[in-house]
């Protein structure tokens, strides 16, 4: 989902009344970022509070490449990483993940081995259908074991776009919340639905309800579901004791637009890129009785802050033995404070850009290669900013391209290298970058090796269902990451 | 000002709390249009309820050219046109224009000859400063006579961007409202400030207050002024008896961006074009006690509707002896109805495009000529949609380019000519266009002839101020309209 997909963020169809209402009752973050323009690293960052380059969710197979966790990925979240649910357990929290995990699907990476108590969802994206020969269909898990596979037991009709998955995920959330309220135990619910990701789907009741086509139908269903979850919290009388945050893991995939892709508003390009459209996200904090209704914040925020903020809410400290990139947003949310902090934009092993205040400096620019672009893969359709949306990796480390995101949110007009404004902004930014790089200790890259043998052939529980498949012989290779 | 310039419409800096509040208390129009992508024709359409091609505010000097009323224009609003204030007089209204008139500056076009009772403002844009030899500086009028000139008596500091004009216009509005309230006479106030038009200015108190630079400072000052006007109505106890509508006369001039140009959100291109960025406008209706707070409408609306709607509010009928393009929006505003009506996008003498429902068909496409473009005049900076943002006038009358503005508000993905959707949408649209063209009676074009002798050399009242200038000899020529 992109920054521009909600009515509250200016989507012209304004079809998200529940999320808009959530914003009206809570706090809207206008300058909130994911930690990576791609799903798996972004989610790893959210749950660890650390940049992907630290927690291992990146590749060194080639320079500045996005990587994620397809079925043949060998790596996953390292045991050495401390995840938010692991830490929340210490404060008595019961933790549930509903939806897409995406932090590795091999046994050692199972979410219940990393702090979650319950799971209903899938380890990977709902790509398919597959023939169960070259590729197995993606399994859905309930807790430790699989309970079926997408397209087989959980239907997704690619022709009509119909699938009731969001409804399943919604019901699961409502049930979990009811159960936790009844048992009086604090809980952490990570509601990581995969709707709006291509192939886009929506339930029958939502099909054809949007001006925006199928993608809009999916957004409407998410909006409706969020509304039901918030009302459920209110009806149970626990809304004033429950902190809710809504955001997305990367910008809208313009490559799938218009049929399966959303909107990044007026920001440049989309998913896969380190331009604003790839990483600035819609974000809303909600906590009736604590957050002043209708608040708006320009705090530079990150999904990694949800790690530190959640710990803070639980009365816990972030681990002191490692670098944590997330900051505690409670002073922002509760007292309207603004804290000075940079945003780093990474693509794989490269820091492509950094934002300090309203300035954003690009040290490297690249959308994708000419080779990929010539195949029709366009991350910036209808947009071309000379020297910025480049199809070769352009190095600007000596003289970064500098944009003022207040005057130029679309990153169209780089500041003159000879201006005083450039000089003084870059002085400040260079110090931030220098410090960042000097203290950077990259983690062991987890997204380098791929092997068809590790795919979801025989997940735990497959025997009970008669759904075990025979894996091919192991043949580990360097994963190919084209962009 | 563009569709994307207000917080309520998704401007990322969200710096328009008063206009956002006006929307929260009133009704937000998301699909509201001007009648032309340029100032004079748009304003003539607003005040006559008629398309510029009917009321004469267009040119036939060349095909599909935008034209307006610079100082050397010979034409203006014809006496045969009935303006909103002329009609409102019949219902006892006192009418005032504050700000830019732009419907012709020669004596016969004076606003007080066309129904206004009072005027404080200028006949033309605040371009300058001029040397009073080749070009005279633009005069400001109070009622019948000039009271000074821009840059001479009304300072605009082009270096700092400081000018207190919006404050003067605000005070004039507050005073007029107070006077009308005291005298218990109904009033029509046309608050046509010229801030945000280049050269952009703001008062000292607003300079440097926006994230967006000088343009944002000007927007903030307008926002603040609107807030003060609305509060004034409330304080006087007449807000429930006063209908207020906020909108703009054309899309943001991206050619002036980023320093002097605003935002059209995610819409294509800007001022001067018939893409959405050129003609879709921010629009808010406000009438406490009558309009349900927080309403949102997808009614296709037009500035011309303000003519018919205002008459309706005053209990008057639109003139029956001529084609009126504006419709009465009261059923939309008061009862939430939706009415089927097309939007026509003209450039000069050509119907470039039409919107019917969510479909928009382009019969002609053009941004500007290669010649102008090569000089750096770019109406679509950073945007290029092949075959759409063309630099030659492309005719599509036989097979129009069709876009679905719900799925594709950015006009990036024309529908396939062979699709069923194209066929059925075009059937409907063709009928609308056929009917429109069959009944079209163009007015006498007013924007064809230019003559330096008609400039603001010696406006009425110049003698009292010692500010009369000697005009050159009359030398009428065809005006040159490059785009």
């Amino acid at each position: 989902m992109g920054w521009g997909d909600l009515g509250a963020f200016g989507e012209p169809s304004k079809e998200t009344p529940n999320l808009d209402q959530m914003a009206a009752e809570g706090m809207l973050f206008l300058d909130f970022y994911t930690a990576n323009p791609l799903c798996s690293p972004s989610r790893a960052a959210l749950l660890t509070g650390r940049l992907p380059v630290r927690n291992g969710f990146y590749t060194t197979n080639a320079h500045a490449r996005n990587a994620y966790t397809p079925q043949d990925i060998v790596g996953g979240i390292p045991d050495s990483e401390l995840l938010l649910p692991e830490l929340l357990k210490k404060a008595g929290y019961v933790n549930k993940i509903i939806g897409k995990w995406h932090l590795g699907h091999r046994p050692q990476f199972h979410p219940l081995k990393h702090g979650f108590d319950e799971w209903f969802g899938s380890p990977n994206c709902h790509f398919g259908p597959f023939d169960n020969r070259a590729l197995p269909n993606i399994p859905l898990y309930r807790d430790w074991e699989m309970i079926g596979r997408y397209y087989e037991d959980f239907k997704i009709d690619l022709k009509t776009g119909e699938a009731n998955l969001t409804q399943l995920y919604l019901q699961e959330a409502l049930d979990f919340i009811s159960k936790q309220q009844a048992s009086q135990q604090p809980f952490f619910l990570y509601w990581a639905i995969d709707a709006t990701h291509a192939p886009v789907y929506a339930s029958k009741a939502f099909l054809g309800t949007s001006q925006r086509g199928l993608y809009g139908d999916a957004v409407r269903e998410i909006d409706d579901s969020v509304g039901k979850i918030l009302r459920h919290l209110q009806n149970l009388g626990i809304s004033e004791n429950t902190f809710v945050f809504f955001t997305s893991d990367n910008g809208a995939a313009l490559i799938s637009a218009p049929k399966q892709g959303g909107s990044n508003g007026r920001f440049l390009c989309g998913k896969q890129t380190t331009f604003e459209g790839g990483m600035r996200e819609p974000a809303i904090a909600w906590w009736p009785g604590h957050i002043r209704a209708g608040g708006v914040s320009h705090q530079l925020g990150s999904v990694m802050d949800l790690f530190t903020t959640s710990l803070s809410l639980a009365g816990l400290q972030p681990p002191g033995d490692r670098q944590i990139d997330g900051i505690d947003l409670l002073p922002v949310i509760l007292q309207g404070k603004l804290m000075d902090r940079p945003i780093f934009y990474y693509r794989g092993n490269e820091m492509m850009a950094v934002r300090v205040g309203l300035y954003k400096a690009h040290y490297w620019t690249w959308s994708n290669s000419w080779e990929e672009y010539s195949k029709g893969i366009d991350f910036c359709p209808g947009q071309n900013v000379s020297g910025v949306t480049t199809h070769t990796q352009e190095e600007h480390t000596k003289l970064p391209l500098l944009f003022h995101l207040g005057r130029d949110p679309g990153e169209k007009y780089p500041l003159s290298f000879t201006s005083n404004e450039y000089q003084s902004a870059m002085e400040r930014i260079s110090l931030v970058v220098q410090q960042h790089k000097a203290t950077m200790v990259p983690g062991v890259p987890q997204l380098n090796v791929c092997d068809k043998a590790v795919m979801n052939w025989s997940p735990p529980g497959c025997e009970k269902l008669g759904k075990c498949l025979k894996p091919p012989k192991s043949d580990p290779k360097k994963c190919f990451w084209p962009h």
Side-chain angles (χ1 to χ4, degrees), chain A:
Chain A
M1 188 178 265
W3 192 91
D5 272 324
L6 309 188
F9 288 83
E11 208 292 317
S13 71
K14 210 169 173 60
E15 293 177 332
T16 53
N18 293 288
L19 285 160
D20 295 0
Q21 181 66 22
M22 181 182 177
E25 295 169 9
M27 178 174 267
L28 195 69
F29 282 82
L30 294 160
D31 299 74
F32 196 87
Y33 292 86
T34 183
N36 195 268
L38 218 61
C39 42
S40 307
S42 166
R43 286 155 195 250
L46 184 155
L47 290 173
T48 60
R50 285 151 57 80
L51 281 167
V53 70
R54 295 193 215 273
N55 66 34
F57 265 64
Y58 72 107
T59 183
T60 52
N61 285 0
H63 178 245
R65 303 297 168 120
N66 296 321
Y68 73 110
T69 52
Q71 283 206 67
D72 59 349
I73 199 80
V74 170
I77 191 73
D79 280 339
S80 55
E81 289 298 317
L82 285 169
L83 270 62
L84 176 58
E86 287 178 81
L87 297 165
L88 289 175
K89 271 197 179 197
K90 295 182 193 162
Y93 276 70
V94 175
N95 308 303
K96 177 157 194 159
I97 165 172
I98 297 174
K100 188 163 70 173
W101 167 239
H102 234 313
L103 264 56
H105 56 280
R106 297 176 66 209
Q108 63 268 42
F109 307 126
H110 193 289
L112 271 56
K113 286 203 178 139
H114 290 269
F116 283 103
D117 300 294
E118 301 181 20
W119 181 24
F120 178 71
S122 63
N124 309 81
C125 283
H126 59 282
F127 294 133
F130 301 121
D131 62 1
N132 284 338
R133 290 162 187 270
L135 288 164
N137 278 317
I138 303 295
L140 259 86
Y141 283 68
R142 176 170 294 286
D143 302 330
W144 288 106
E145 296 188 344
M146 76 175 277
I147 52 169
R149 292 185 193 266
Y150 280 134
Y151 299 95
E152 298 172 16
D153 312 287
F154 297 90
K155 302 290 183 217
I156 303 170
D157 187 328
L158 294 185
K159 258 193 213 150
T160 62
E162 184 181 342
N164 71 340
L165 294 166
T166 304
Q167 292 305 311
L168 295 182
Y169 294 144
L170 168 61
Q171 195 52 53
E172 192 75 16
L174 299 177
D175 291 347
F176 175 70
I177 292 167
S178 298
K179 189 186 70 166
Q180 289 312 118
Q181 190 267 341
S183 69
Q184 300 276 314
Q185 264 184 303
F187 67 92
F188 164 51
L189 171 59
Y190 177 42
W191 197 60
I193 46 163
D194 53 8
T196 76
H197 196 293
V200 177
Y201 60 76
S203 298
K204 195 163 191 180
F206 291 90
L207 286 179
T209 60
S210 166
Q211 285 190 10
R212 305 176 68 198
L214 184 54
Y215 183 91
D217 297 340
V219 172
R220 285 191 84 120
E221 186 166 13
I222 292 173
D223 176 72
D224 183 77
S225 300
V226 171
K228 284 183 172 136
I229 290 171
L230 298 185
R231 275 196 297 283
H232 193 55
L233 294 171
Q234 284 171 324
N235 291 340
L236 292 176
I238 56 173
S239 61
E240 300 204 356
N241 202 21
T242 309
F243 178 80
V244 185
F245 202 93
F246 178 89
T247 191
S248 172
D249 62 345
N250 47 241
L254 299 188
I255 191 179
S256 307
K259 283 198 180 152
Q260 311 242 329
S263 163
N264 300 313
R266 64 182 297 210
F267 295 124
L268 188 62
C269 301
K271 180 175 176 175
Q272 300 270 9
T273 77
T274 46
F275 303 113
E276 290 298 283
M279 291 184 56
R280 210 192 290 204
E281 303 300 333
I284 305 169
W286 186 87
W287 192 13
H290 300 267
I291 300 179
R292 193 175 59 83
V296 169
S297 181
H298 285 291
Q299 172 66 41
L300 303 200
S302 163
V303 292
M304 298 182 290
D305 301 343
L306 300 179
F307 175 88
T308 309
T309 306
S310 300
L311 291 178
S312 176
L313 283 163
L316 298 171
Q317 291 292 323
D321 63 344
R322 64 197 68 202
Q323 181 71 42
I324 300 291
D325 297 287
I327 64 172
D328 181 1
L329 291 178
L330 289 187
V332 177
I333 292 168
L334 301 179
Q335 294 140 43
K337 291 201 175 157
L338 280 177
M339 293 179 281
D340 195 21
R341 72 90 70 92
I343 296 291
F344 297 102
Y345 305 68
Y346 270 83
R347 209 157 151 172
N349 58 352
E350 186 60 78
M351 193 206 79
M352 305 285 286
V354 59
R355 176 173 173 184
V356 174
L358 282 165
Y359 292 100
K360 180 174 176 184
H362 289 269
Y363 288 76
W364 286 86
T365 53
W366 192 37
S367 57
N368 64 345
S369 69
W370 283 115
E371 196 187 341
E372 294 286 307
Y373 183 65
S374 68
K375 290 184 212 161
I377 297 173
D378 188 353
F379 298 147
C380 316
Q383 299 177 318
N384 173 45
V385 182
S386 289
V388 179
T389 55
T390 55
H391 293 291
T392 46
Q393 294 192 353
E394 295 293 328
E395 183 169 4
H396 310 279
T397 51
K398 297 243 163 61
L399 208 56
L401 292 180
L402 187 66
F403 295 92
H404 185 282
L405 294 178
R407 301 193 301 265
D408 176 24
E411 292 168 285
K412 285 184 168 65
Y413 308 95
L415 269 71
S416 162
F417 297 130
T418 58
S419 65
N420 289 337
E421 187 179 3
Y422 183 92
Q423 300 295 336
S424 65
M426 279 314 303
E427 264 175 42
R428 196 172 146 214
I429 294 170
S430 299
L431 280 177
V432 170
V433 170
Q434 211 179 328
Q435 196 176 17
H436 176 69
K437 296 215 162 178
T439 58
M440 172 56 68
V441 183
V444 178
Q446 296 294 317
L447 308 179
N448 280 354
V449 184
C450 287
D451 185 348
K452 282 181 180 287
V454 306
M455 289 181 166
N456 296 288
W457 303 105
S458 299
C462 68
E463 325 78 32
K464 295 183 194 163
L465 303 170
K467 282 193 170 273
C468 301
L469 300 165
K470 198 176 154 0
K473 244 183 82 176
S474 175
D475 179 20
K477 285 180 180 162
K478 265 193 175 186
C479 307
F480 173 62
W481 304 116
H483 19 252

